[in-house]
Coordinates of all heavy atoms in Angstrom, one line a residue:
N354 N 112.7 89.6 -8.6 CA 112.6 89.8 -10.1 C 112.9 88.4 -10.6 O 114.0 87.9 -10.7 CB 113.7 90.7 -10.5 CG 113.7 91.0 -12.0 OD1 112.9 90.4 -12.7 ND2 114.6 91.8 -12.5
M355 N 111.8 87.7 -11.0 CA 112.0 86.3 -11.4 C 112.3 86.2 -12.9 O 111.9 87.0 -13.7 CB 110.6 85.5 -11.2 CG 110.2 85.4 -9.7 SD 108.8 84.3 -9.4 CE 107.7 84.7 -10.7
E356 N 113.1 85.2 -13.2 CA 113.4 84.8 -14.6 C 113.4 83.3 -14.7 O 113.5 82.6 -13.7 CB 114.8 85.4 -15.0 CG 115.9 85.0 -14.1 CD 117.2 85.8 -14.4 OE1 117.3 86.5 -15.4 OE2 118.2 85.6 -13.7
G357 N 113.2 82.9 -15.9 CA 113.1 81.4 -16.2 C 111.7 81.1 -16.6 O 111.1 81.8 -17.4
G358 N 111.2 80.0 -16.1 CA 109.9 79.5 -16.5 C 108.8 80.5 -16.2 O 107.8 80.7 -16.9
F359 N 108.9 81.1 -15.0 CA 108.0 82.2 -14.6 C 108.8 83.5 -14.5 O 109.8 83.5 -13.8 CB 107.4 81.9 -13.3 CG 106.5 80.7 -13.3 CD1 106.9 79.5 -12.9 CD2 105.2 80.8 -13.8 CE1 106.0 78.4 -12.9 CE2 104.3 79.8 -13.8 CZ 104.7 78.5 -13.4
M360 N 108.4 84.5 -15.2 CA 109.1 85.8 -15.2 C 108.3 86.8 -14.6 O 107.1 86.8 -14.7 CB 109.5 86.2 -16.6 CG 110.5 85.3 -17.3 SD 110.9 85.9 -19.0 CE 111.6 87.5 -18.6
T361 N 109.0 87.8 -13.9 CA 108.3 89.0 -13.5 C 107.7 89.7 -14.7 O 108.5 89.9 -15.7 CB 109.3 89.9 -12.7 OG1 109.7 89.2 -11.5 CG2 108.6 91.2 -12.3
T362 N 106.5 90.1 -14.7 CA 105.9 90.6 -15.9 C 105.9 92.2 -15.9 O 105.6 92.8 -16.9 CB 104.4 90.2 -16.1 OG1 103.7 90.5 -14.9 CG2 104.4 88.7 -16.3
G363 N 106.1 92.8 -14.8 CA 106.2 94.2 -14.7 C 106.2 94.7 -13.3 O 106.0 93.9 -12.3
S364 N 106.6 95.9 -13.0 CA 106.7 96.5 -11.7 C 106.2 97.9 -11.7 O 106.3 98.6 -12.8 CB 108.1 96.4 -11.2 OG 108.5 95.1 -11.0
M365 N 105.8 98.4 -10.6 CA 105.3 99.7 -10.5 C 105.8 100.3 -9.1 O 105.7 99.6 -8.1 CB 103.8 99.7 -10.5 CG 103.1 101.0 -10.2 SD 101.3 100.8 -10.2 CE 100.8 102.4 -9.6
V366 N 106.2 101.5 -9.1 CA 106.6 102.2 -7.9 C 105.9 103.5 -7.9 O 105.8 104.2 -8.9 CB 108.2 102.5 -7.9 CG1 108.5 103.4 -6.7 CG2 108.9 101.2 -7.9
S367 N 105.2 103.8 -6.8 CA 104.4 105.1 -6.7 C 104.9 105.9 -5.6 O 105.2 105.4 -4.5 CB 102.9 104.7 -6.5 OG 102.4 104.1 -7.7
V368 N 104.9 107.2 -5.8 CA 105.2 108.2 -4.7 C 103.9 108.9 -4.5 O 103.4 109.5 -5.4 CB 106.3 109.2 -5.2 CG1 106.6 110.2 -4.1 CG2 107.6 108.4 -5.6
L369 N 103.4 108.7 -3.2 CA 102.1 109.3 -2.9 C 102.3 110.3 -1.7 O 102.1 109.9 -0.6 CB 101.1 108.2 -2.5 CG 100.9 107.1 -3.5 CD1 100.1 106.0 -2.9 CD2 100.3 107.6 -4.8
P370 N 102.6 111.6 -2.0 CA 102.8 112.5 -0.9 C 101.5 112.7 -0.2 O 100.4 112.7 -0.8 CB 103.2 113.8 -1.6 CG 103.6 113.4 -3.0 CD 102.8 112.1 -3.3
Q371 N 101.6 112.9 1.1 CA 100.4 113.2 1.9 C 99.8 114.6 1.7 O 98.6 114.8 1.9 CB 100.7 113.0 3.4 CG 100.9 111.5 3.7 CD 101.2 111.3 5.2 OE1 101.6 112.1 5.9 NE2 100.8 110.1 5.7
Q372 N 100.7 115.5 1.3 CA 100.2 116.8 1.0 C 99.4 116.9 -0.4 O 100.0 116.5 -1.4 CB 101.4 117.8 0.9 CG 102.2 117.9 2.1 CD 103.4 116.8 2.1 OE1 103.3 115.8 1.4 NE2 104.4 117.0 2.9
P373 N 98.2 117.2 -0.3 CA 97.4 117.2 -1.6 C 97.8 118.1 -2.7 O 97.5 117.9 -3.8 CB 95.9 117.5 -1.1 CG 96.1 118.2 0.2 CD 97.4 117.7 0.8
N374 N 98.6 119.1 -2.4 CA 99.1 120.1 -3.4 C 100.3 119.5 -4.2 O 100.7 120.0 -5.2 CB 99.5 121.4 -2.8 CG 100.6 121.3 -1.8 OD1 100.6 120.4 -1.0 ND2 101.5 122.3 -1.8
L375 N 100.9 118.4 -3.7 CA 102.0 117.8 -4.4 C 101.5 116.6 -5.3 O 100.6 115.9 -4.9 CB 103.0 117.2 -3.4 CG 103.7 118.2 -2.6 CD1 104.7 117.5 -1.6 CD2 104.5 119.2 -3.4
P376 N 102.0 116.5 -6.5 CA 101.5 115.5 -7.4 C 102.0 114.1 -7.0 O 103.0 113.9 -6.4 CB 102.1 115.9 -8.8 CG 103.4 116.5 -8.4 CD 103.1 117.3 -7.1
C377 N 101.2 113.1 -7.3 CA 101.6 111.7 -7.2 C 102.4 111.3 -8.4 O 102.1 111.8 -9.5 CB 100.4 110.8 -7.1 SG 99.4 111.0 -5.6
I378 N 103.4 110.5 -8.2 CA 104.3 110.1 -9.4 C 104.3 108.6 -9.4 O 104.4 107.9 -8.4 CB 105.7 110.6 -9.2 CG1 105.7 112.1 -9.0 CG2 106.6 110.2 -10.3 CD1 107.0 112.7 -8.5
H379 N 104.1 108.0 -10.6 CA 104.0 106.6 -10.8 C 105.1 106.2 -11.9 O 105.1 106.8 -13.0 CB 102.6 106.2 -11.3 CG 101.6 106.7 -10.3 ND1 101.3 106.1 -9.1 CD2 100.7 107.7 -10.5 CE1 100.3 106.8 -8.6 NE2 100.0 107.8 -9.3
F380 N 105.9 105.2 -11.5 CA 106.9 104.7 -12.4 C 106.5 103.2 -12.8 O 106.1 102.4 -11.9 CB 108.3 104.6 -11.8 CG 108.8 105.9 -11.3 CD1 108.6 106.4 -10.0 CD2 109.5 106.7 -12.2 CE1 109.1 107.6 -9.6 CE2 110.0 107.9 -11.8 CZ 109.8 108.4 -10.5

């Protein structure tokens, strides 16, 4: 997580269950 002259511009975390009946969740 950079700060200063160059900053982290965003992050994403995804939960991708292998079972197709479960939903994927994205943060």
Side-chain angles (χ1 to χ4, degrees):
N354 182 3
M355 297 189 316
E356 56 187 352
F359 293 98
M360 292 183 61
T361 297
T362 56
S364 294
M365 174 182 170
V366 173
S367 293
V368 179
L369 307 173
Q371 290 183 332
Q372 303 87 339
N374 61 319
L375 296 176
C377 295
I378 302 168
H379 307 281
F380 300 93

